[in-house]
Amino acid sequence: MLVFAASDKGGTGRSVTSANLAYHRALDGDDVCYLDFDFGSPTAAAVFDLPDVLGEAEGRGLHSYLKGEVGEPLRVDVWARTEHPVLLSRPGGSGRLVLLPGDRSGGEFVTDAENLHRCVDLVLRLKREFDVIIVDLSAGRSYAMDLALLATSPRGGLGRLKTRWLVYHRWTRQHVMAAAELVYGKQGIVEAGCAMGHDSDALNAAIRFVRAAVPNLESPLWSQVSPAQYAWMRQCDTQLEEIAAGRGIGKTRVLSSIPLEPVLQWQERLITDEDVHDRRIANVETWQKMGELAQRLTDDTYWGQL
Ligand SMILES: Nc1ncnc2c1ncn2[C@@H]1O[C@H](COP(=O)(O)OP(=O)(O)OP(=O)(O)O)[C@@H](O)[C@H]1O
Ligand SMILES: [Mg+2]
């Protein structure tokens, strides 16, 4: 399965949540690879605790590969190379977890037919090795997104590959509206995709939204706030649900909603079982919701029911 992680805005939680999603699928036994197609800011290595990889990818990452400067992009075995002490001991039964980083100083670039060809070729090869391929796209209507839409269009070469789109947004008015625009707006994913030959219904059916860093008003975090504050927040929450539903990104279109997690507020990282149960620094709900997202991603029945 090919999974594109998209968002309209930056800082939505797209990379951190997608990396945790990759981790959970690998824990469940899938072979997973994570491609950093955030051309402008390829920093996924940090989330997997791979500090040396940023420098190592210089001239050998996905930018260099797509531009034809190297024949193969750098691959990093996360279990073997991470500096995260818990991840280093790869759990029994887990699948492979491999990062294909971008070049540190790569930057955005206009993509052409050659780049498209290399992208398709790479994904087709990865498909033989991995169960899940997660592609973290640059924010907004980027060149990376155009490449993804073109590659998966009928004339692109990946048209027959099972593909899913996750559109991330935070739980604020601006983010909700932006996420809806990115998908349904003028030149949004659906319109741009159809112009490239995608079937509108099929593309729509492949898209789900992921709400990230959502405050849970029932959490003890908010138990100290004044009644007026609480009532105001509750009202905002209800209004947000109405805005989301009115723009076609209401609950039935949401794959998962990841709670605001204090650990992630401070650090971009994978949340481990140990963080929850031994060190007790992360909330159990966050661990559960990341797991739920990972389950639902590949659950055709659930996906079809939405
Ligand atoms: N559930 C969460 N709770 C709290 N903070 C979060 C949560 N998810 C992500 N964050 C934090 O929000 C910030 C932005 O997340 P992230 O880098 O994943 O977003 P992004 O959409 O990939 O941004 P960019 O466009 O810059 O690549 C990070 O500091 C991250 O740790
Ligand atoms: Mg990111």
Side-chain angles (χ1 to χ4, degrees), residues 7 9-18 34 38 41 43 47 136-139 168 170 211-214 258-269 286 290:
S7 69
K9 301 204 151 291
T12 54
R14 184 184 72 251
S15 303
V16 166
T17 315
S18 300
Y34 188 105
D38 185 344
S41 176
T43 50
V47 186
D136 182 4
L137 300 171
S138 307
Y168 291 86
R170 288 203 171 222
R211 300 174 178 176
V214 180
I258 310 294
L260 183 70
E261 166 55 55
V263 167
L264 298 179
Q265 188 72 39
W266 291 95
Q267 206 172 68
E268 297 80 4
R269 56 179 278 155
T286 309
M290 294 289 190

Side-chain angles (χ1 to χ4, degrees), residues 108-149:
E108 294 286 344
F109 61 99
V110 184
T111 50
D112 59 18
E114 274 298 303
N115 307 139
L116 174 67
H117 176 73
R118 285 192 202 97
C119 171
V120 169
D121 188 57
L122 175 66
V123 173
L124 288 177
R125 278 182 287 128
L126 292 172
K127 182 183 136 259
R128 283 185 228 123
E129 274 184 73
F130 294 94
D131 302 300
V132 181
I133 303 167
I134 298 178
V135 183
D136 182 4
L137 300 171
S138 307
R141 272 301 320 279
S142 57
Y143 296 122
M145 174 169 290
D146 276 350
L147 188 62
L149 281 170

